[in-house]
């Protein structure tokens, strides 16, 4: 009887072991598909072309498969033929042939597959399993950090969102890249530049500026600084309009000073050539309403996103920018303006405003690199400009509150309008009247030359334009339009219906 009890106990333990194994969790994986994909890549070049830009070595669950894919990728980058023998030779060079199971395992992979049919579908399943494993890893790290009482909660939120953004983009960061891979990327970029008539970056719509910079470059931090009244906001709005409407590229504008309604009204003024005074009062003639409705159609469809959150922290900016990049693929970020931002809840500024500005500028540069888009930050200048003698042209030393801005920025530029200081003649070799003109000064350019670029400034419409371009005001056009041709109803709305109740006299901010 006692012996039977022992047997029953033993059987019960075995059952418990089986149950515990069944309840255990294995990381998401698709080893059979990994074998099929690698086998197909070694027997069919077409299969390689379909998946080489989808997968990376890290996407494979089995370590041996990571080494095999790495060898195939090295052969592909080197324009070498890829088959059973060349992969075996490359693995031998890498010292990994025995680690993957030798030639016998490579042969077994090619025997399991007869063609590369459905290889792309299989590779995307492998990638999905990799993303699942990545999310599990990130979640475990977040849980562990959350239990740590010394962890700053805002830093933890930023770290979590950053890692999740990397997964969303399908771009889990690698520790390094080989020179061979980087040279191939650089050669492709040079070819792309040639096909874009020399513009490798985002065109601003200002011809001389684009010639000097080749457009705003991805990952660059651009500072545009000026004294109040020079037209900083008007300049970036004109540029945002050119990029969003003419180039059809997404632009995110974070305005810490003016409301979104004020900004869009400025854009309406520059787009329709109707003065800000008329738009502010709503006293438009019939033909002016018709002009407004026709000319704002392109603006309504533009991929332009305006956020007017006051006292925006660098943490909130990064979170918002990541979402806009993920959802709308924005190509430019503009902040108006840097000195109104805060460093966030971590308190790293320690009450020192200069250190806080340094933290903000470093994070803006990091954001530009992370999202691979140019980031433009407007900045105030010190009052030293006002105390100078005849020339009021800004200098790098005039940047307000922190030398870190100059250090972190790839481009530092200034806007200078002598007309504002009652100076009616330019003070250089190109002397001439300053009326209706401005100077865009490139004072620091990490990857290019320096220059002072003259632009046209149309203060009445809050607009910057190329100096050589003509501009016709709607005041010069016939006072009556063919409304039927434009498909515009004659039941035109009142000013309140268009601009809303927030458009009041206290919104009168000079251009």
């Amino acid at each position: 009887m006692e012996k039977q009890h022992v047997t029953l106990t033993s059987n019960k333990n075995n059952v418990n072991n089986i149950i515990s194994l069944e309840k255990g969790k294995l990381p998401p994986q698709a080893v059979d598909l990994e074998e099929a994909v690698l086998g197909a890549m070694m027997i069919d070049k077409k299969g390689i072309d379909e998946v080489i830009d989808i997968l990376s070595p890290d996407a494979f669950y089995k370590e041996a498969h990571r080494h095999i894919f790495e060898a195939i990728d090295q052969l592909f980058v080197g324009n070498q033929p890829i088959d059973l023998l060349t992969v075996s030779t490359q693995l031998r060079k890498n010292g990994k042939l025995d680690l993957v199971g030798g030639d016998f395992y490579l042969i077994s992979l090619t025997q399991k597959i007869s063609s590369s049919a459905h290889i792309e579908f299989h590779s995307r399943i492998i990638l999905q399993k990799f993303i699942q494993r990545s999310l599990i890893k990130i979640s475990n790290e977040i849980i562990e950090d959350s239990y740590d009482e010394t962890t700053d909660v805002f830093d933890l939120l930023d770290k979590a969102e950053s890692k999740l953004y990397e997964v969303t983009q399908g771009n889990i960061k690698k520790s390094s890249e080989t020179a061979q891979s980087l040279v191939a990327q650089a050669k492709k970029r040079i070819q792309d530049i040639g096909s874009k008539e020399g513009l490798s970056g985002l065109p601003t719509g200002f011809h001389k500026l684009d010639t000097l910079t080749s457009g705003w470059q991805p990952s660059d931090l651009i500072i545009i600084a000026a004294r109040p009244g020079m037209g900083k906001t008007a300049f970036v709005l004109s540029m945002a309009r050119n990029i969003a409407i003419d180039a059809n590229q997404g632009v995110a504008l974070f305005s810490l000073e003016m409301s979104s309604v004020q900004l869009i009204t400025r854009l309406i003024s520059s787009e329709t050539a109707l003065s800000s005074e008329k738009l502010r009062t709503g006293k438009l003639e019939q033909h002016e309403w018709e002009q407004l409705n026709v000319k704002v159609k392109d603006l309504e469809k533009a991929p332009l996103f305006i956020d007017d959150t006051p006292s925006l922290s660098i943490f909130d900016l990064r979170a918002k920018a990541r979402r806009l990049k993920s959802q709308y693929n924005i190509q430019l970020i503009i902040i108006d303006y840097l000195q109104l931002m805060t460093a966030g809840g971590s308190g790293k500024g320690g009450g020192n405003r200069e250190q806080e500005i340094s933290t903000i500028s470093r994070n803006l540069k990091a954001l530009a690199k992370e999202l691979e888009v140019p980031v433009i930050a407007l900045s105030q200048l010190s009052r030293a400009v006002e105390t100078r003698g005849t020339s009021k042209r800004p200098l790098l030393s005039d940047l307000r509150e922190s030398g870190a801005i100059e250090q972190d920025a790839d481009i530092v530029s200034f806007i200078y309008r002598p007309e504002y200081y009652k100076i009616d003649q330019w003070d250089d070799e190109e002397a001439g009247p300053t009326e209706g003109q401005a100077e865009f000064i490139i004072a620091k350019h990490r990857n290019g030359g320096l220059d002072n670029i003259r632009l046209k400034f149309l203060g009445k419409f809050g607009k910057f334009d190329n100096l050589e371009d003509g501009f016709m005001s709607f005041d010069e056009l016939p006072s009556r339009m063919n409304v039927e041709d434009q498909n515009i109803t004659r039941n035109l709305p009142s000013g309140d219906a268009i601009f809303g109740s927030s458009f009041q006299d206290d919104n009168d901010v000079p251009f």
Side-chain angles (χ1 to χ4, degrees):
M1 187 72 178
E2 184 176 349
K3 185 176 180 182
Q4 183 181 3
H5 175 71
V6 172
T7 303
L8 289 173
T9 303
S10 177
N11 290 338
K12 184 178 180 181
N13 288 337
N14 289 336
V15 170
N16 286 339
N17 287 336
I18 294 172
I19 291 174
S20 64
L21 286 174
E22 288 176 348
K23 288 185 177 180
K25 293 182 178 180
L26 286 173
Q29 56 185 286
V31 175
D32 54 340
L33 294 182
E34 291 180 8
E35 294 173 348
V37 167
L38 291 174
M41 293 178 78
M42 286 189 285
I43 66 173
D44 190 349
K45 183 180 183 302
K46 180 184 176 184
I48 300 171
D49 295 334
E50 290 186 11
V51 305
I52 197 70
D53 59 343
I54 298 175
L55 298 175
S56 66
D58 291 337
F60 291 84
Y61 177 74
K62 194 171 179 180
E63 183 181 2
H65 295 168
R66 290 197 290 270
H67 295 316
I68 295 170
F69 184 86
E70 185 178 17
I72 293 173
D73 187 56
Q74 290 170 342
L75 291 169
F76 180 83
V77 172
N79 292 318
Q80 301 296 318
I82 298 171
D83 54 35
L84 183 62
L85 294 176
T86 57
V87 172
S88 173
T89 302
Q90 186 63 43
L91 283 167
R92 189 175 288 107
K93 287 181 181 178
N94 296 343
K96 303 287 178 61
L97 182 60
D98 292 336
L99 190 61
V100 304
D103 290 331
F104 176 78
Y105 187 69
L106 296 179
I107 293 170
S108 69
L109 290 178
T110 60
Q111 289 177 337
K112 290 181 179 181
I113 196 77
S114 59
S115 74
S116 63
H118 313 302
I119 187 172
E120 182 179 354
F121 180 76
H122 294 160
S123 67
R124 294 198 181 278
I125 295 176
I126 294 171
L127 182 62
Q128 289 172 15
K129 300 298 182 184
F130 170 57
I131 291 174
Q132 288 177 277
R133 295 197 301 272
S134 300
L135 289 172
I136 292 170
K137 179 175 180 291
I138 291 169
S139 300
N140 288 334
E141 291 175 355
I142 293 171
I143 292 170
E144 185 177 348
D145 291 340
S146 297
Y147 278 109
D148 186 354
E149 293 293 337
T150 64
T151 302
D152 184 274
V153 65
F154 293 102
D155 288 343
L156 179 58
L157 280 169
D158 186 61
K159 177 182 176 183
E161 187 163 40
S162 177
K163 287 180 175 292
L164 289 172
Y165 176 79
E166 292 167 19
V167 175
T168 302
Q169 297 302 103
N171 184 29
I172 304 303
K173 290 183 177 177
K174 301 177 183 178
S175 58
S176 61
E177 291 185 80
T178 65
Q180 190 176 32
S181 172
L182 293 171
V183 167
Q185 293 178 39
K187 286 168 64 178
K188 185 178 184 302
R189 181 173 175 78
I190 292 169
Q191 290 175 348
D192 292 341
I193 293 171
S195 64
K196 295 179 181 178
E197 299 181 355
L199 283 186
S200 58
L202 202 60
T204 66
F206 301 114
H207 308 321
K208 290 184 178 179
L209 179 58
D210 287 338
T211 300
L212 181 65
T213 63
S214 292
W216 297 138
Q217 300 298 313
S219 305
D220 273 4
L221 173 61
I222 300 116
I223 300 296
I224 300 177
R227 289 293 295 157
M230 289 293 110
K232 297 187 298 294
T233 303
F235 177 81
V236 294
L237 281 177
S238 298
M239 182 177 58
R241 180 262 171 220
N242 295 339
I243 294 170
I245 294 179
D246 294 340
N248 195 32
Q249 298 293 322
V251 178
L253 173 57
F254 295 90
S255 175
L256 288 80
E257 185 177 32
M258 298 176 63
S259 73
S260 55
V261 175
Q262 287 176 306
L263 291 174
I264 205 67
T265 305
R266 283 192 173 199
L267 279 170
I268 290 172
S269 177
S270 65
E271 194 70 7
T272 62
L274 294 170
S275 69
S276 58
E277 182 181 355
K278 287 187 175 183
L279 295 180
R280 184 172 62 251
T281 60
K283 295 179 179 179
L284 303 180
E285 300 294 334
Q286 178 76 8
H287 71 277
E288 290 174 328
W289 277 115
E290 295 165 3
Q291 293 164 12
L292 189 150
N293 282 310
V294 171
K295 296 298 290 185
V296 297
K297 290 188 182 298
D298 289 338
L299 183 59
E300 289 173 340
K301 295 182 290 185
L304 176 63
F305 308 91
I306 300 177
D307 186 306
D308 60 0
T309 305
S311 302
L312 188 68
S313 70
I314 188 65
F315 163 74
D316 290 331
L317 172 70
R318 291 175 69 173
K320 290 171 181 284
R322 288 188 190 113
R323 284 192 286 271
L324 285 169
K325 177 66 175 177
S326 176
Q327 294 174 11
Y328 303 106
N329 193 29
I330 57 170
Q331 298 299 307
L332 176 67
I333 296 171
I334 301 172
I335 299 105
D336 183 11
Y337 59 91
L338 189 148
Q339 278 80 10
L340 293 179
M341 290 189 68
T342 63
S346 60
K348 291 181 180 179
N352 186 318
R353 184 56 180 166
E354 185 172 334
Q355 292 179 7
E356 191 173 21
I357 291 294
S358 299
T359 300
I360 293 168
S361 66
R362 282 196 303 272
N363 278 275
L364 288 178
K365 175 59 182 176
L367 179 65
K369 291 184 66 177
E370 177 186 346
L371 301 187
E372 293 186 345
V373 300
V375 172
I376 296 177
L378 302 188
S379 177
Q380 292 281 22
L381 290 177
S382 68
R383 294 182 182 273
V385 177
E386 314 287 349
T387 62
R388 294 205 187 102
T390 55
S391 177
K392 307 291 186 181
R393 192 174 274 107
L395 304 171
L396 283 172
S397 58
D398 297 324
L399 279 174
R400 187 173 167 185
E401 290 185 304
S402 177
I405 297 176
E406 178 185 348
Q407 177 182 335
D408 295 327
D410 298 279
I411 295 176
V412 178
S413 57
F414 304 113
I415 297 174
Y416 172 54
R417 290 198 300 114
E419 186 181 9
Y420 179 84
Y421 297 108
K422 304 295 189 291
I423 301 172
D424 56 6
Q425 292 289 321
W426 289 102
D427 57 356
D428 55 18
E429 64 276 4
E430 296 182 17
T434 62
E435 182 180 1
Q437 293 187 17
E439 201 170 54
F440 191 81
I441 303 167
I442 305 288
K444 175 193 174 182
H445 191 185
R446 184 166 287 162
N447 300 306
L450 310 179
D451 200 1
N452 297 348
I453 298 167
R454 298 276 168 83
L455 297 172
K456 184 187 300 181
F457 177 67
L458 304 161
K460 185 179 180 181
F461 309 114
K463 178 177 181 178
F464 281 79
D465 208 343
N466 295 291
L467 192 60
E468 66 275 14
D469 287 353
F471 180 81
M472 179 177 288
S473 167
F474 273 106
D475 296 337
E476 302 173 29
L477 295 176
S479 60
R480 302 183 62 84
M481 295 174 63
N482 189 332
V483 181
E484 293 179 356
D485 289 345
Q486 299 294 344
N487 296 319
I488 302 171
T489 177
R490 289 189 180 277
N491 297 321
L492 297 169
S494 66
D496 288 340
I498 284 186
F499 299 118
S501 59
S502 65
F503 192 63
Q504 299 171 351
D505 288 344
D506 58 357
N507 290 339
D508 184 14
V509 179
F511 288 106

